[in-house]
Amino acid sequence: MKANLLEALTQVQDFRAARGQRYPLWLLLLVVIMGTMSGCLGYRALEDGSSSAS
């Protein structure tokens, strides 16, 4: 079975209420994975990394 990361992430069931869905879950998971691979080890580090990229 061959699947890429985006295909796998889109298969994850979104447990959030409709009101809390500003971004798709697969995108949030991808940002967390990429941040972790870049050395971010918490929400604050992810926020700092994403704000410095823009």
Side-chain angles (χ1 to χ4, degrees):
M1 182 167 146
K2 186 176 180 181
N4 67 31
L5 180 59
L6 290 179
E7 289 174 356
L9 292 177
T10 58
Q11 297 301 313
V12 176
Q13 184 177 1
D14 196 346
F15 56 88
R16 302 170 295 164
R19 274 183 43 190
Q21 294 185 11
R22 182 174 293 180
Y23 301 103
L25 182 61
W26 68 266
L27 181 60
L28 296 175
L29 294 172
L30 182 63
V31 169
V32 170
I33 291 169
M34 292 174 60
T36 302
M37 291 174 64
S38 299
C40 298
L41 298 176
Y43 292 113
R44 193 170 300 240
L46 283 170
E47 179 184 4
D48 292 343
S50 64
S51 64
S52 65
S54 51

